[in-house]
Amino acid sequence: MLRSRRSNLAVPGSSPKMLDKAKGLPADQVFMDIEDAVAPLAKPDARKNIVAALNEGGYEGKVRVVRVNDWTTQWTYADVVEVVEGAGANLDCIMLPKVQTADQVVALDLLLTQIEKSNGLEVGRIGIEAQIENALGLINIDAIAQASPRVETLIFGPADFMASINMKSLVVGEQPPGYDVGDAYHYILMRILMAARAYDKQAIDGPYLAIKDLDGYKRVAGRSAALGFDGKWVLHPDQVAAANEVFSPRQEDYDHAELILDAYDYYTSAAGGAKGAVMLGDEMIDEASRKMALVISAKGRAAGMARTTTFEPPSA
Ligand code: GLV
Ligand code: MG
């Protein structure tokens, strides 16, 4: 079953206080950062703080992720070795930022396999989250998605991406004067989404940096949720509830999806008349309706939603 990742909380590994605070926040995923939120001189301590926090525990129910530095730096191998040797059993995924080629995912996969083998960890359990943050990464996204069975998510990194393609605006998700940036992001978001759906990965939208502007957050999150994205980063506790709400189906949509699944099951069965297209109330449902309902139902179930209606077969 797919792990719910509506809200992906970024926590700098340099801050034991924030690592601790993350335990009490209702985020679906917490990712502890050793990359861009941590200054070069603070990276060695960040690794140690993260190992200690993971081993201490308290993140139950959350996907536990560590973002290492990208392969063009000198830090990646030591990030991975220290964190996975130190806390591999208490860690779910490594996030690899600025992925540009499939080889970079393969390199991480090989390194993880070695560390797992030599430390008695289950081989292949730790997943990879690939952050797409530049033009080359986006162009290679299909190969990146398929580079290892460990890849679980494809993540948009809007800040680095805007820099990479020379985008004029400096505010993620906002419009520079005279141009509809909604359109500019659309291609990138859809490209990531197509790769995610083609290869059965989760599509995650990145940060919204104006952390005081909750309406702006909801608007930008609403856009990627409407397209089909599974979740978005949160940089501040206030954004957690917004992400959980925006990326969950509405209760009525979830109930309706479960109803369609039950009704369709019944009507296609011998007892229900083995029909392929039937009326559910005023709505015609068929196999394609079932597929749409499956998506909503999976998101609702993964988010722990409970249905409030049941399907009653018509009495003969
Ligand atoms: C996140 O890493 C970003 O660059 O937006
Ligand atoms: Mg980035």
PDB file of all heavy atoms in Angstrom, residues 33-52:
ATOM      1  N   ASP A  33      17.369  17.314   7.069  1.00  0.00           N
ATOM      2  CA  ASP A  33      18.218  17.830   5.995  1.00  0.00           C
ATOM      3  C   ASP A  33      19.681  17.936   6.397  1.00  0.00           C
ATOM      4  O   ASP A  33      20.009  18.402   7.497  1.00  0.00           O
ATOM      5  CB  ASP A  33      17.697  19.217   5.582  1.00  0.00           C
ATOM      6  CG  ASP A  33      18.217  19.644   4.226  1.00  0.00           C
ATOM      7  OD1 ASP A  33      18.749  18.780   3.492  1.00  0.00           O
ATOM      8  OD2 ASP A  33      18.089  20.837   3.890  1.00  0.00           O
ATOM      9  N   ILE A  34      20.555  17.469   5.486  1.00  0.00           N
ATOM     10  CA  ILE A  34      21.992  17.771   5.617  1.00  0.00           C
ATOM     11  C   ILE A  34      22.411  18.641   4.431  1.00  0.00           C
ATOM     12  O   ILE A  34      23.558  19.039   4.329  1.00  0.00           O
ATOM     13  CB  ILE A  34      22.870  16.488   5.645  1.00  0.00           C
ATOM     14  CG1 ILE A  34      22.203  15.347   6.400  1.00  0.00           C
ATOM     15  CG2 ILE A  34      24.244  16.792   6.243  1.00  0.00           C
ATOM     16  CD1 ILE A  34      23.012  14.051   6.432  1.00  0.00           C
ATOM     17  N   GLU A  35      21.452  18.925   3.503  1.00  0.00           N
ATOM     18  CA  GLU A  35      21.828  19.691   2.308  1.00  0.00           C
ATOM     19  C   GLU A  35      21.658  21.197   2.504  1.00  0.00           C
ATOM     20  O   GLU A  35      22.256  21.761   3.423  1.00  0.00           O
ATOM     21  CB  GLU A  35      21.048  19.171   1.086  1.00  0.00           C
ATOM     22  CG  GLU A  35      21.750  19.487  -0.250  1.00  0.00           C
ATOM     23  CD  GLU A  35      20.797  19.930  -1.354  1.00  0.00           C
ATOM     24  OE1 GLU A  35      19.627  20.226  -1.085  1.00  0.00           O
ATOM     25  OE2 GLU A  35      21.241  20.018  -2.516  1.00  0.00           O
ATOM     26  N   ASP A  36      20.803  21.809   1.697  1.00  0.00           N
ATOM     27  CA  ASP A  36      20.826  23.273   1.586  1.00  0.00           C
ATOM     28  C   ASP A  36      20.375  24.055   2.822  1.00  0.00           C
ATOM     29  O   ASP A  36      20.641  25.249   2.914  1.00  0.00           O
ATOM     30  CB  ASP A  36      20.009  23.703   0.368  1.00  0.00           C
ATOM     31  CG  ASP A  36      20.771  23.480  -0.935  1.00  0.00           C
ATOM     32  OD1 ASP A  36      21.941  23.043  -0.871  1.00  0.00           O
ATOM     33  OD2 ASP A  36      20.204  23.739  -2.006  1.00  0.00           O
ATOM     34  N   ALA A  37      19.710  23.397   3.771  1.00  0.00           N
ATOM     35  CA  ALA A  37      19.319  24.135   4.979  1.00  0.00           C
ATOM     36  C   ALA A  37      20.409  24.064   6.053  1.00  0.00           C
ATOM     37  O   ALA A  37      20.213  24.561   7.163  1.00  0.00           O
ATOM     38  CB  ALA A  37      18.002  23.590   5.530  1.00  0.00           C
ATOM     39  N   VAL A  38      21.539  23.436   5.701  1.00  0.00           N
ATOM     40  CA  VAL A  38      22.612  23.273   6.689  1.00  0.00           C
ATOM     41  C   VAL A  38      23.918  23.832   6.104  1.00  0.00           C
ATOM     42  O   VAL A  38      24.343  23.440   5.012  1.00  0.00           O
ATOM     43  CB  VAL A  38      22.786  21.772   7.050  1.00  0.00           C
ATOM     44  CG1 VAL A  38      23.943  21.582   8.017  1.00  0.00           C
ATOM     45  CG2 VAL A  38      21.493  21.209   7.634  1.00  0.00           C
ATOM     46  N   ALA A  39      24.543  24.743   6.835  1.00  0.00           N
ATOM     47  CA  ALA A  39      25.794  25.370   6.367  1.00  0.00           C
ATOM     48  C   ALA A  39      26.913  24.328   6.299  1.00  0.00           C
ATOM     49  O   ALA A  39      26.920  23.374   7.086  1.00  0.00           O
ATOM     50  CB  ALA A  39      26.185  26.492   7.326  1.00  0.00           C
ATOM     51  N   PRO A  40      27.846  24.498   5.354  1.00  0.00           N
ATOM     52  CA  PRO A  40      28.935  23.525   5.214  1.00  0.00           C
ATOM     53  C   PRO A  40      29.614  23.164   6.540  1.00  0.00           C
ATOM     54  O   PRO A  40      29.827  21.982   6.823  1.00  0.00           O
ATOM     55  CB  PRO A  40      29.903  24.218   4.256  1.00  0.00           C
ATOM     56  CG  PRO A  40      29.009  25.053   3.398  1.00  0.00           C
ATOM     57  CD  PRO A  40      27.900  25.530   4.296  1.00  0.00           C
ATOM     58  N   LEU A  41      29.903  24.162   7.363  1.00  0.00           N
ATOM     59  CA  LEU A  41      30.614  23.862   8.617  1.00  0.00           C
ATOM     60  C   LEU A  41      29.752  23.092   9.606  1.00  0.00           C
ATOM     61  O   LEU A  41      30.257  22.455  10.531  1.00  0.00           O
ATOM     62  CB  LEU A  41      31.102  25.162   9.269  1.00  0.00           C
ATOM     63  CG  LEU A  41      32.260  25.861   8.549  1.00  0.00           C
ATOM     64  CD1 LEU A  41      32.595  27.191   9.224  1.00  0.00           C
ATOM     65  CD2 LEU A  41      33.496  24.951   8.517  1.00  0.00           C
ATOM     66  N   ALA A  42      28.440  23.142   9.433  1.00  0.00           N
ATOM     67  CA  ALA A  42      27.533  22.477  10.374  1.00  0.00           C
ATOM     68  C   ALA A  42      27.150  21.069   9.911  1.00  0.00           C
ATOM     69  O   ALA A  42      26.453  20.348  10.628  1.00  0.00           O
ATOM     70  CB  ALA A  42      26.276  23.328  10.571  1.00  0.00           C
ATOM     71  N   LYS A  43      27.596  20.658   8.731  1.00  0.00           N
ATOM     72  CA  LYS A  43      27.153  19.360   8.194  1.00  0.00           C
ATOM     73  C   LYS A  43      27.612  18.167   9.048  1.00  0.00           C
ATOM     74  O   LYS A  43      26.819  17.262   9.303  1.00  0.00           O
ATOM     75  CB  LYS A  43      27.569  19.210   6.723  1.00  0.00           C
ATOM     76  CG  LYS A  43      26.772  20.163   5.794  1.00  0.00           C
ATOM     77  CD  LYS A  43      27.081  19.937   4.332  1.00  0.00           C
ATOM     78  CE  LYS A  43      26.603  21.084   3.424  1.00  0.00           C
ATOM     79  NZ  LYS A  43      25.169  21.222   3.218  1.00  0.00           N
ATOM     80  N   PRO A  44      28.879  18.141   9.526  1.00  0.00           N
ATOM     81  CA  PRO A  44      29.282  16.979  10.342  1.00  0.00           C
ATOM     82  C   PRO A  44      28.410  16.801  11.594  1.00  0.00           C
ATOM     83  O   PRO A  44      27.997  15.683  11.912  1.00  0.00           O
ATOM     84  CB  PRO A  44      30.733  17.295  10.718  1.00  0.00           C
ATOM     85  CG  PRO A  44      31.217  18.197   9.614  1.00  0.00           C
ATOM     86  CD  PRO A  44      30.019  19.030   9.236  1.00  0.00           C
ATOM     87  N   ASP A  45      28.086  17.914  12.247  1.00  0.00           N
ATOM     88  CA  ASP A  45      27.228  17.801  13.438  1.00  0.00           C
ATOM     89  C   ASP A  45      25.802  17.417  13.056  1.00  0.00           C
ATOM     90  O   ASP A  45      25.131  16.695  13.808  1.00  0.00           O
ATOM     91  CB  ASP A  45      27.196  19.138  14.206  1.00  0.00           C
ATOM     92  CG  ASP A  45      28.378  19.250  15.153  1.00  0.00           C
ATOM     93  OD1 ASP A  45      29.072  18.217  15.354  1.00  0.00           O
ATOM     94  OD2 ASP A  45      28.612  20.353  15.674  1.00  0.00           O
ATOM     95  N   ALA A  46      25.337  17.914  11.913  1.00  0.00           N
ATOM     96  CA  ALA A  46      23.974  17.578  11.475  1.00  0.00           C
ATOM     97  C   ALA A  46      23.832  16.061  11.314  1.00  0.00           C
ATOM     98  O   ALA A  46      22.830  15.466  11.718  1.00  0.00           O
ATOM     99  CB  ALA A  46      23.645  18.291  10.165  1.00  0.00           C
ATOM    100  N   ARG A  47      24.853  15.425  10.721  1.00  0.00           N
ATOM    101  CA  ARG A  47      24.803  13.953  10.573  1.00  0.00           C
ATOM    102  C   ARG A  47      24.612  13.299  11.943  1.00  0.00           C
ATOM    103  O   ARG A  47      23.796  12.382  12.100  1.00  0.00           O
ATOM    104  CB  ARG A  47      26.104  13.433   9.951  1.00  0.00           C
ATOM    105  CG  ARG A  47      26.336  13.876   8.525  1.00  0.00           C
ATOM    106  CD  ARG A  47      27.699  13.351   8.057  1.00  0.00           C
ATOM    107  NE  ARG A  47      28.059  13.871   6.747  1.00  0.00           N
ATOM    108  CZ  ARG A  47      29.289  14.280   6.404  1.00  0.00           C
ATOM    109  NH1 ARG A  47      30.285  14.234   7.281  1.00  0.00           N
ATOM    110  NH2 ARG A  47      29.537  14.723   5.193  1.00  0.00           N
ATOM    111  N   LYS A  48      25.385  13.765  12.912  1.00  0.00           N
ATOM    112  CA  LYS A  48      25.311  13.153  14.253  1.00  0.00           C
ATOM    113  C   LYS A  48      23.971  13.411  14.913  1.00  0.00           C
ATOM    114  O   LYS A  48      23.378  12.507  15.520  1.00  0.00           O
ATOM    115  CB  LYS A  48      26.443  13.713  15.139  1.00  0.00           C
ATOM    116  CG  LYS A  48      27.797  13.229  14.666  1.00  0.00           C
ATOM    117  CD  LYS A  48      28.917  13.619  15.600  1.00  0.00           C
ATOM    118  CE  LYS A  48      30.232  13.001  15.147  1.00  0.00           C
ATOM    119  NZ  LYS A  48      30.484  13.124  13.683  1.00  0.00           N
ATOM    120  N   ASN A  49      23.453  14.636  14.774  1.00  0.00           N
ATOM    121  CA  ASN A  49      22.136  14.945  15.361  1.00  0.00           C
ATOM    122  C   ASN A  49      21.048  14.044  14.771  1.00  0.00           C
ATOM    123  O   ASN A  49      20.142  13.592  15.466  1.00  0.00           O
ATOM    124  CB  ASN A  49      21.729  16.398  15.049  1.00  0.00           C
ATOM    125  CG  ASN A  49      22.657  17.412  15.688  1.00  0.00           C
ATOM    126  OD1 ASN A  49      23.325  17.109  16.668  1.00  0.00           O
ATOM    127  ND2 ASN A  49      22.697  18.622  15.134  1.00  0.00           N
ATOM    128  N   ILE A  50      21.156  13.824  13.471  1.00  0.00           N
ATOM    129  CA  ILE A  50      20.123  13.045  12.779  1.00  0.00           C
ATOM    130  C   ILE A  50      20.166  11.581  13.232  1.00  0.00           C
ATOM    131  O   ILE A  50      19.133  10.968  13.519  1.00  0.00           O
ATOM    132  CB  ILE A  50      20.301  13.184  11.245  1.00  0.00           C
ATOM    133  CG1 ILE A  50      19.863  14.594  10.819  1.00  0.00           C
ATOM    134  CG2 ILE A  50      19.535  12.114  10.488  1.00  0.00           C
ATOM    135  CD1 ILE A  50      20.172  14.944   9.375  1.00  0.00           C
ATOM    136  N   VAL A  51      21.378  11.031  13.307  1.00  0.00           N
ATOM    137  CA  VAL A  51      21.509   9.637  13.773  1.00  0.00           C
ATOM    138  C   VAL A  51      20.919   9.507  15.179  1.00  0.00           C
ATOM    139  O   VAL A  51      20.136   8.584  15.470  1.00  0.00           O
ATOM    140  CB  VAL A  51      22.989   9.187  13.747  1.00  0.00           C
ATOM    141  CG1 VAL A  51      23.190   7.883  14.508  1.00  0.00           C
ATOM    142  CG2 VAL A  51      23.468   9.040  12.298  1.00  0.00           C
ATOM    143  N   ALA A  52      21.244  10.466  16.033  1.00  0.00           N
ATOM    144  CA  ALA A  52      20.739  10.402  17.416  1.00  0.00           C
ATOM    145  C   ALA A  52      19.220  10.504  17.435  1.00  0.00           C
ATOM    146  O   ALA A  52      18.541   9.740  18.130  1.00  0.00           O
ATOM    147  CB  ALA A  52      21.367  11.524  18.243  1.00  0.00           C
TER     148      ALA A  52
END
